[in-house]
Amino acid sequence: MAGQRGGQAGRKQQQNPPAFKGGGCCARGLCILEAARRVRAQGPGGAASRPKRPYNGPGNMGFKSTQDRCFALLPCAGVGARAGADAALPKQYRLVAGLPMVRHALDAFAQVPRLQQTLVVVAPGDGFLRRANAPCLLADCGGATRAESVYNGLTHWLAHGARPQDWILVHDAARCLITPGQINALIDACLPDAVGGLLALPLPDTLKQADSAHRVAQTLERAGKWLAQTPQMFRLGSLHAALRAHARTGFAGITDEASAIELAGHKPLLVAGSAQNFKVTYPEDFSLAEAVLRSRTP
């Protein structure tokens, strides 16, 4: 379910929020930066505030013996075409606040003790994270689509010690602003739930439907509508089966893990997320993510 703009000026403490370029980005950026300052004032929450767990290689899983075990999976085999990513450097590896974008998410997951391990699914031959000694396990079984990469990653977990009844948290590599607190909130909400759920945000804006000429066809009712985020947390076996049912069609219609669970006849739980947990998608998102991360640094 990034940033080369952190130069000398970005490293200095600023009295006023930075300006953002790009259509419609400024208002969202100011709101997100203000939320970041509130989080920082309340105490530790960002990736830089807690010690990192050491890397545990594939030969040393070190699973804890608990009834409700939780694992994490990050599909990381895409190239990020909408972000204008260089073909030689997928967007998840572009620098944001001094680190490859995906490292910020990995550091957040590494600070959640209830997680057994985090697996990153990369494209075959991708050795970037291995060379970077990232705090995760790696599997080079990435597929042509995100859903295929997740399915392959779940299959890998089941073949390497995870059980169908274990929980799996699937997270977008491009959501680099996730915090340990948000991950823990999802775990707390989903552990007692029969289905599982996902972080999401109630739709705050007026929603328009466009016609073929890019004109407004109608205004849609926004009440009850949520923006899906990640992580999304479900039983590993249930999610694996739900995705397997669509493997023959190339996972057509599967846009996230929750959609696969829905098509299997279940209703995932919506857990309130944060506006900061946005997905870095367009070029202007990199500078916004950079500003938020730097605002969290003491």
Side-chain angles (χ1 to χ4, degrees):
M1 58 139 169
Q4 299 170 328
R5 304 182 187 179
Q8 197 170 30
R11 287 190 288 270
K12 295 179 181 178
Q13 189 173 10
Q14 298 180 351
Q15 296 294 327
N16 299 309
F20 296 98
K21 298 180 180 180
C25 185
C26 185
R28 182 177 74 154
L30 294 177
C31 291
I32 292 175
L33 279 172
E34 179 58 30
R37 292 187 180 95
R38 289 198 298 269
V39 169
R40 179 182 168 189
Q42 292 169 359
S49 61
R50 301 182 189 178
K52 300 179 178 66
R53 287 162 58 187
Y55 171 69
N56 224 357
N60 182 20
M61 290 291 192
F63 296 157
K64 303 169 188 175
S65 179
T66 58
Q67 184 175 1
D68 284 312
R69 301 193 306 177
C70 297
F71 296 82
L73 190 157
L74 276 70
C76 197
V79 297
R82 288 179 294 178
D86 189 318
L89 188 66
K91 75 170 181 180
Q92 61 268 24
Y93 300 147
R94 289 173 61 179
L95 293 182
V96 180
L99 288 174
M101 179 163 61
V102 67
R103 277 297 303 267
H104 295 288
L106 289 173
D107 288 345
F109 276 85
Q111 294 162 35
V112 179
R114 286 184 289 182
L115 289 173
Q116 303 284 331
Q117 289 284 5
T118 297
L119 176 71
V120 178
V121 176
V122 299
D126 181 353
F128 185 94
L129 290 176
R130 197 178 306 279
R131 293 190 298 271
N133 195 30
C136 61
L137 304 175
L138 298 173
D140 59 352
C141 56
T145 64
R146 181 186 185 280
E148 184 178 1
S149 293
V150 171
Y151 178 71
N152 291 346
L154 297 175
T155 302
H156 180 93
W157 264 137
L158 289 170
H160 290 83
R163 306 167 303 193
Q165 66 267 33
D166 290 330
W167 292 96
I168 188 77
L169 284 76
V170 182
H171 184 66
D172 294 328
R175 293 187 190 270
C176 59
L177 301 177
I178 189 68
T179 66
Q182 293 161 11
I183 299 168
N184 276 311
L186 179 67
I187 294 174
D188 288 339
C190 291
L191 280 180
D193 194 81
V195 177
L198 63 150
L199 289 183
L201 200 65
L203 184 67
D205 301 317
T206 299
L207 187 63
K208 304 291 186 180
Q209 180 170 317
D211 62 16
S212 59
H214 288 187
R215 293 186 177 274
V216 175
Q218 62 175 316
T219 298
L220 302 178
E221 175 57 55
R222 69 182 176 187
K225 293 182 174 63
W226 292 60
L227 300 171
Q229 299 182 338
T230 67
Q232 301 192 5
M233 176 174 167
F234 302 102
R235 296 285 185 183
L236 200 158
S238 297
L239 181 56
H240 188 257
L243 288 170
R244 184 175 62 238
H246 301 273
R248 289 186 178 180
T249 63
F251 304 98
I254 304 300
T255 57
D256 63 359
E257 293 65 53
S259 64
I261 294 294
E262 294 163 40
L263 289 172
H266 305 292
K267 294 184 177 181
L269 179 68
L270 292 167
V271 180
S274 166
Q276 289 188 33
N277 187 27
F278 67 90
K279 184 177 181 180
V280 175
T281 304
Y282 301 106
E284 59 267 27
D285 291 339
F286 289 95
S287 58
L288 177 54
E290 173 112 11
V292 172
L293 285 166
R294 293 197 181 281
S295 74
R296 293 176 179 176
T297 304

